Amino acid sequence: MGLTCRDIVTIFERVRDIPFKFAPHHDAETLLQRGFGTCAPKHALLALLYQRLGIETRFVYVSFRFEEMPGEFPHDLRPLLYDGIVRGHTALQLKLNGRWIDVDATFDQPLKAAGFVVTEAWDGCSSMPLVVKPLTRVESVEGPDHEEALLGIRHRTRLSREAVDRINRWLDQLRLTQSVTARAERSKE
């Protein structure tokens, strides 16, 4: 097929840079319609795109707690997230040159300012770090709708509507601040 590591990186960067926001959808189609989503629909889209190019994929599901992941949520949002609840996270693996590599396109670049793991300058051929600290891990070809069942999570993990709205407003504000800062720095050059 002639795909290069650079081709693989280009696809990854396009999906990574779709804004991360909390949302109930897990599918690629809704992600593309709405223009934002969580880890699950972003990796569903990434899997679809890579599979269309003939790259074998499988999902990586890990359990985690918000309070143990890299990144700094504002103090007023922490009580909404730091609740000790074990939740699921979706990433992806690609089979390249006979070996599986981890790929995690969850957070878009502006969220790096808050300390979230955002992979930049990826070589397209080796594993990257996951954006959460995994408690358990499962690889499967089953799609993101099966994440919690595969991880053995049987308790309620959804955030309240109020929490989702407040967190998403903060994420949007963070992106806006980063955009204004970047424009100001470019104008100085």
Side-chain angles (χ1 to χ4, degrees), residues 132-147:
V132 298
K133 180 182 171 189
L135 301 172
T136 61
R137 177 181 170 126
V138 175
E139 289 102 12
S140 176
V141 294
E142 296 286 333
D145 286 337
H146 302 278
E147 171 193 81

Side-chain angles (χ1 to χ4, degrees), residues 81-152:
L81 294 162
Y82 296 0
D83 53 15
I85 293 176
V86 174
R87 292 179 166 84
H89 171 66
T90 302
L92 194 67
Q93 282 191 323
L94 309 178
K95 193 168 191 179
L96 300 175
N97 301 318
R99 63 180 183 48
W100 291 100
I101 64 165
D102 290 346
V103 176
D104 196 333
T106 300
F107 296 125
D108 48 298
Q109 286 185 308
L111 303 187
K112 185 176 181 179
F116 295 106
V117 176
V118 177
T119 297
E120 299 173 304
W122 179 46
D123 65 9
C125 296
S126 59
S127 285
M128 63 179 64
L130 298 180
V131 303
V132 298
K133 180 182 171 189
L135 301 172
T136 61
R137 177 181 170 126
V138 175
E139 289 102 12
S140 176
V141 294
E142 296 286 333
D145 286 337
H146 302 278
E147 171 193 81
E148 289 183 351
L150 289 167
L151 288 169

Side-chain angles (χ1 to χ4, degrees), residues 120-184:
E120 299 173 304
W122 179 46
D123 65 9
C125 296
S126 59
S127 285
M128 63 179 64
L130 298 180
V131 303
V132 298
K133 180 182 171 189
L135 301 172
T136 61
R137 177 181 170 126
V138 175
E139 289 102 12
S140 176
V141 294
E142 296 286 333
D145 286 337
H146 302 278
E147 171 193 81
E148 289 183 351
L150 289 167
L151 288 169
I153 296 174
R154 310 231 185 288
H155 53 272
R156 185 177 183 276
T157 62
R158 294 209 185 274
L159 297 168
S160 71
R161 180 85 246 148
E162 175 200 358
V164 167
D165 290 345
R166 287 179 60 195
I167 296 163
N168 284 345
R169 279 194 302 273
W170 172 71
L171 292 168
D172 287 340
Q173 185 61 44
L174 183 60
R175 281 185 198 91
L176 180 63
T177 301
Q178 291 305 304
S179 175
V180 169
T181 302
R183 276 196 302 256

